[in-house]
Each structure stands twice: as C-alpha cells, then as structure tokens.
C-alpha cells in the first residue's frame, strides 16, 4: 500500500531535482577536463541535458526536441568527449570516490568479471553465436570491484569465450 512516505520518495519533482544536480556535476567535470576554446561556446550543461535526453529515450540525434541545442552541436561535443576518453575518466573518478566513501583504498586489488549474452540483430556492432546459450547476438562484459563499482565495460561478439 502506498503511504505518504512512498509518494514523496517517488515524486517526479524530486527525481527531476536529483537528475538536474547530477547533470550539473557532470557538466562541471567536463568543463574542467575540456574547457571551451571560444568564449561564445555552448555550455556543457546544455549539451549534457541533450545527451541525457538522447540516452534516456534512445532516439536518433536528429530527433532532439526544439528546446535543446542543434543536434550537430550536441553530437559534436559528445563525440569529442568520447574520443578524449572523458566519460571513462569520469567513471574511474566516481568509482574511486565511492570506494573511499566505503572506507576502502581508492584502487581495488580484486576485480570480478561477468558476462551476459544478449540477442540482437546484425545492425551496427559485433555479433556472433554463443553455443552455450544457443543465441546469436552480443556479449556484455563487466569488470567490477568487490563493492560492485564498475571498473570497465565492453561489448563483444557472443562467440568470444568467457575464459
């Protein structure tokens, strides 16, 4: 049964505030790591809002609604940050921060690898046949520490062995 406590926890305004705070923090990280060369460059916060919309909906870049920056601008900044490895750097920084919060050393001594096979069609990306699962698709490979913090992710064809 839903109580007032449950309703406040799942209130949409609260979720929106948390998402906005997260976007602000990620934008600050990106602006520090890759400062804009021109004074009239678009704000990383505006670009990250559009990237978050794109990732949440899964639509094409050209389908960005009118309230966001032009899709070419957003896509250009996103590709630049991916090519520079800023999102990987952000994930490493967050994992270190979480490990310190849990009272552990910033870098782990132990890691766990897990894979998951997923069915998919052969559009853009690796694809193979996983004989153990009897499916054609991809395999998601995750490297996590003992606390479950993500250290690395990879997508490979399903025919790649787990060994």
């Amino acid at each position: 049964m839903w109580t007032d406590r449950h309703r406040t926890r799942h209130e949409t305004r609260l979720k929106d505030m948390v998402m906005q705070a997260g976007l602000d923090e990620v934008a600050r990280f990106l602006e520090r790591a890759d400062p804009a060369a021109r004074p009239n460059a678009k704000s990383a916060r505006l670009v990250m809002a559009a990237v978050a919309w794109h990732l949440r909906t899964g639509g094409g870049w050209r389908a960005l609604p009118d309230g966001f920056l032009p899709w070419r601008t957003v896509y250009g900044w996103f590709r630049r940050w991916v090519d520079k490895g800023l999102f990987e750097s952000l994930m490493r920084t967050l994992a270190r921060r979480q490990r310190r919060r849990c009272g552990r050393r910033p870098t782990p001594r132990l890691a766990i690898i897990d894979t998951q096979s997923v069915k998919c069609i052969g559009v853009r990306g690796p694809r193979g046949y996983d004989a153990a699962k009897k499916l054609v698709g991809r395999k998601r490979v995750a490297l996590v520490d003992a606390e479950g913090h993500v250290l690395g992710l990879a997508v490979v064809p399903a025919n790649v062995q787990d060994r």
Side-chain angles (χ1 to χ4, degrees):
M1 183 168 147
W2 281 83
T3 64
D4 290 335
R5 186 173 174 192
H6 288 100
R7 284 188 183 88
T8 56
R9 186 184 320 156
H10 295 283
E11 188 175 352
T12 56
R13 285 182 298 165
L14 180 63
K15 287 182 180 181
D16 190 47
M17 287 172 30
V18 169
M19 187 185 81
Q20 298 300 330
L23 284 177
D24 289 341
E25 193 166 340
V26 170
R28 279 194 300 273
F29 175 85
L30 292 171
E31 284 175 344
R32 281 192 308 267
D34 185 25
R38 294 180 298 148
N40 63 344
K42 301 300 180 190
S43 156
R45 174 66 177 81
L46 297 174
V47 175
M48 273 311 301
V51 169
W53 179 89
H54 173 73
L55 293 174
R56 189 173 50 246
T57 61
W61 287 105
R62 294 174 190 242
L64 282 174
D66 290 334
F68 294 112
L69 296 172
W71 74 269
R72 288 180 190 265
T73 303
V74 175
Y75 180 73
W77 277 103
F78 178 74
R79 289 303 318 164
R80 176 184 167 121
W81 293 334
V82 167
D83 292 342
K84 286 187 166 200
L86 294 183
F87 291 112
E88 287 85 3
S89 175
L90 174 65
M91 292 303 290
R92 278 193 305 273
T93 303
L94 288 174
R96 285 188 191 119
R97 188 183 295 176
Q98 270 307 108
R99 286 184 59 80
R100 274 192 234 114
R101 254 190 222 144
C102 293
R104 293 185 173 264
R105 296 169 45 192
T107 56
R109 291 184 292 169
L110 172 72
I112 302 161
I113 298 175
D114 191 21
T115 62
Q116 179 184 24
S117 297
V118 181
K119 286 183 190 178
C120 71
I121 59 174
V123 178
R124 293 191 183 200
R127 189 172 83 136
Y129 179 71
D130 186 359
K133 304 285 185 186
K134 295 182 175 57
L135 65 86
V136 176
R138 298 184 182 111
K139 210 176 258 191
R140 295 184 274 210
V141 183
L143 178 70
V144 298
D145 65 1
E147 294 287 327
H149 303 122
V150 176
L151 302 174
L153 294 170
V155 177
V156 296
N159 60 349
V160 173
Q161 295 297 314
D162 292 349
R163 298 182 264 151

